[in-house]
Amino acid sequence: MLVSVVIPVYNEIPTLAEILRRVTAVDFPKEIVIVDDCSRDGSRELLQQLSDKGLSVIGGTPKNRNELRILFQEKNQGKGAALRRGFAESTGDIVIVQDADLEYDPREIPRVIQPIVDGDADVVFGSRFIGTPRRVLYYWHSVMNQLLTTLSNMTSNLNLTDMETCYKAFRSEVIRSVTIEENRFGIEPEITAKVARGGWRVFEVPISYHGRTYEEGKKIGWKDGVRALYAIGKYSLKR
């Protein structure tokens, strides 16, 4: 079973090589689909080297099958747009999102996708809030996350604990049947609403979380929270 790991990239040069080393080192057959969203910090140049010369550029110890696909956006459009293209270009049986920072541990991908492999789930969310280690950071971020998850649950009739999580895995037929409209971080509530509307079997599994500060490169801000609120309303009402 081939797993497509879709990685949106925008100005992640401090962590990009390391996250790719970690992804390739996990022992399962995978297709790594990287979408560069017009980075300007050297990420694009590193990815071009990878495209030309292969995984030897970043070193490490790759395990199992690692197919590499690198896509370049012509202009900066946002995470949602990058994922839309990555999902469309993926060819695996299972598709999972991996951020290009080091907040999420690729060694946990097998745990996240296991309910799909077992035939129990169509979609799996990795939750940062159900009993695993996580870095303690911004209080108001956690309040906003809980608010957004609660509002999303109220409109979708799901009982998720972490709607905003990066780790979302799908059977390929599921994600390819979803038309993604959001270009930025509004993609999280959009996908959740559309998955719920589709009646797909949704599971949630615990994951660890190593959050980063704004000084370390965190990008999401209050405007993205406002857009997420808008997206929850829009896609819960839209049929």
Side-chain angles (χ1 to χ4, degrees), residues 52-93:
D52 294 340
K53 301 178 181 178
L55 290 171
S56 61
V57 169
I58 59 169
T61 308
K63 293 182 179 178
N64 214 305
R65 175 181 171 189
N66 285 281
E67 298 180 7
L68 191 61
R69 304 187 66 192
I70 301 176
L71 310 170
F72 297 97
Q73 301 281 67
E74 293 184 3
K75 63 179 181 178
N76 178 256
Q77 300 176 62
K79 181 178 180 179
L83 288 178
R84 180 167 57 238
R85 185 175 181 193
F87 293 155
E89 298 275 355
S90 64
T91 63
D93 306 289

Side-chain angles (χ1 to χ4, degrees), residues 198-227:
W200 304 109
R201 298 170 299 167
V202 180
F203 269 56
E204 200 173 46
V205 299
I207 58 170
S208 61
Y209 181 61
H210 306 271
R212 58 180 178 170
T213 66
Y214 286 102
E215 292 75 19
E216 293 167 333
K218 194 171 189 67
K219 297 180 178 66
I220 195 167
W222 68 267
K223 291 182 180 179
D224 297 303
V226 171
R227 182 66 191 187

Side-chain angles (χ1 to χ4, degrees), residues 95-143:
V95 180
I96 186 169
V97 180
Q98 170 72 59
D99 281 350
D101 51 40
L102 301 178
E103 292 188 333
Y104 294 83
D105 187 350
R107 291 176 297 183
E108 297 182 342
I109 291 176
R111 182 200 301 173
V112 176
I113 67 175
Q114 194 61 48
I116 299 176
V117 174
D118 291 341
D120 295 325
D122 301 304
V123 179
V124 181
F125 285 59
S127 174
R128 298 165 286 179
F129 305 119
I130 49 177
T132 54
R134 61 185 177 89
R135 183 179 178 183
V136 176
L137 278 174
Y138 304 114
Y139 170 72
W140 289 109
H141 278 208
S142 68
V143 171

Side-chain angles (χ1 to χ4, degrees), residues 27 30 110 186 227:
D27 192 6
K30 50 197 168 295
R227 182 66 191 187

Side-chain angles (χ1 to χ4, degrees), residues 16-57:
L16 182 54
E18 178 60 24
I19 196 64
L20 293 176
R21 282 191 288 267
R22 294 185 186 188
V23 170
T24 59
V26 185
D27 192 6
F28 62 89
K30 50 197 168 295
E31 170 191 60
I32 304 169
V33 182
I34 306 168
V35 184
D36 180 74
D37 196 26
C38 207
S39 296
R40 301 182 182 277
D41 69 338
S43 299
R44 199 174 184 87
E45 289 73 18
L46 174 59
L47 292 174
Q48 188 61 63
Q49 291 182 51
L50 276 169
S51 180
D52 294 340
K53 301 178 181 178
L55 290 171
S56 61
V57 169

